[in-house]
Amino acid sequence: MKAVTVGIDIGGTSTKFGVVDREGNVLTQGSISSKTHDDSFDAFFDDMSAAIRQALSEIGPAHLLGIGVGAANGNYYHGTIEHAINLPWKGIIPLADMVKKEFDVPCIVTNDANAAAVGEMVFGAAKGMKDFIVITLGTGLGSGIVCNGHLVNGKHGIAGEVGHTSVNPAGRYCNCGKRGCLETYVSATGIKRTVYKLLADHLEDSVLREISYESLDTKMITDAALKGDVVAKACFDYSGRILGMKLAETAVHTDPEAIFLFGGLSLAGDLIFKPTIYHMEENIMPIFKGKIKILPSGLQNQAASILGASSLVWDFLEKKSAVAN
Amino acid sequence: MKAVTVGIDIGGTSTKFGVVDREGNVLTQGSISSKTHDDSFDAFFDDMSAAIRQALSEIGPAHLLGIGVGAANGNYYHGTIEHAINLPWKGIIPLADMVKKEFDVPCIVTNDANAAAVGEMVFGAAKGMKDFIVITLGTGLGSGIVCNGHLVNGKHGIAGEVGHTSVNPAGRYCNCGKRGCLETYVSATGIKRTVYKLLADHLEDSVLREISYESLDTKMITDAALKGDVVAKACFDYSGRILGMKLAETAVHTDPEAIFLFGGLSLAGDLIFKPTIYHMEENIMPIFKGKIKILPSGLQNQAASILGASSLVWDFLEKKSAVAN
């Protein structure tokens, strides 16, 4: 009977899940709405459990080893989702306990960027690496740090907030309550803010002058830059300069073999990688020069969040087995 | 027969060593000059080996379990000292291999800040902690990061260079070749530079105006501040503000339970702790507020560097034994 795990990515609007084998094949996948009529977590949990049982029944006889969950504000130590502002449910949700009771298998919960880092190690481009960092460039900037082959969760389970290191203490307002955080400059939202700053400061013509802030997205900026739009190109240079300068600081903390960029902004390829690499190398402590690779995630364009969540279980079971043997 | 380890702290001028038991008692200690007539490492190694054998003979029957070495540019993975500009020897020195051959016991080599971090965990105020950071404030600013109960060495063995994160890319020149590194502001040398900057910028009387740059030391600045000298007090506020702002960034990487301050500048007590804590809390991402302790090292005023070096062996043996059992 084949061994499988389930990976669940709980988002604010929808929740994706899939059944995954050890080679990273997603045997079946689906999604349900995260919103029930009364925003009751119990109702959502019943929907999710039914959908997972259905998915498991579709793949034929299999041995379910565990369930991994990536969710905003997922706490690894407590197995909970805690006060997630972007999810429909208030307070502290004892998710791992509920899953264990329902399915009688181990359940590992963590935040989405941490799940992405473990996914990179188990299924992606960090296979075999012991020390690396994944930077997720979505609406915000998340990160997962792996040292000595283990995800760094920290004392309170909130490690890896590279997106909230400081670019400028008097800079852009951030959702976290501070000003000038890295994610206000480098993320899908950050680069939009940069477009508007550069359009305000400069006189150059740009196709981006035709687009409202609400309509603008990373792909439009990427397409404009690829067509030679001066402002769009300058936006990537600006973002890459700031990201490179800050990664030069992040890298000297844990001395990673590689830093992987994942998500929307990273799909712009050279437009973002070239200035990021250049400015990291320019700004890093000399003994680190030429040592830290900046690479694209190996899970791009796949069911990355399902793989990341499912990898939490594979990683957990393999480390447990390594200690036992 | 009692079990002991030897800790060795190799410095540019002198090398200290001691025989240490599991409770952190330094049973005997001594020091030799790091400089031999021809700066030959072999001659120095012979002197050191003879001195260690003499020290071991003084404590009576004992079982030597291993030798730990803290040294600038000590590389944990290779067991070497590599291109240390502040030590008398050039190139790459295969220290661990030489020690193993001479004493037939394991030898662990790392840099002095990493040794301080392991020392804090084994003998100091971080006993029982799994996630913490030690900041050593000496001529420079060193750091050792512990995550999941393990020292972070990184891919290339050079992790923990918090002293070379950036305060101002156009700021003070640093020995590392960059400008504006944290250690150019916060260290024994950094605060001297701040004294001279503030004396240049301001008009206030200060006893520090009587002292040359070469003569000035941290204790003089501390004594002046305690007597109410306005410039000296402002120097501690300036140093603490910068240290606090940068620790707010360091802390969000690995989410430590505590950050310990060790060495000269930290002995100034409230003068440096108060502004550091205040500005870390002011600048840190809100979910971390009130969670990260800033504490004095528990190894102050003791044979800290000997304890740190010897702790490398105790830590190594206990982790090896934990895996075996």
Side-chain angles (χ1 to χ4, degrees), chain B residues 153-177:
Chain B
N153 285 291
K155 169 65 180 173
H156 316 91
I158 53 177
E161 290 291 355
V162 173
H164 299 275
T165 59
S166 178
V167 173
N168 175 1
R172 298 178 183 174
Y173 290 91
C174 183
N175 278 328
C176 83

Side-chain angles (χ1 to χ4, degrees), chain B residues 183-211:
Chain B
E183 77 168 27
T184 69
Y185 297 87
V186 184
S187 63
T189 318
I191 197 168
K192 275 173 63 166
R193 294 168 85 161
T194 298
V195 168
Y196 272 61
K197 176 195 154 50
L198 295 189
L199 290 177
D201 287 351
H202 294 277
L203 293 166
E204 278 81 3
D205 285 340
S206 167
V207 296
L208 303 175
R209 291 195 191 271
E210 316 273 336
I211 305 168

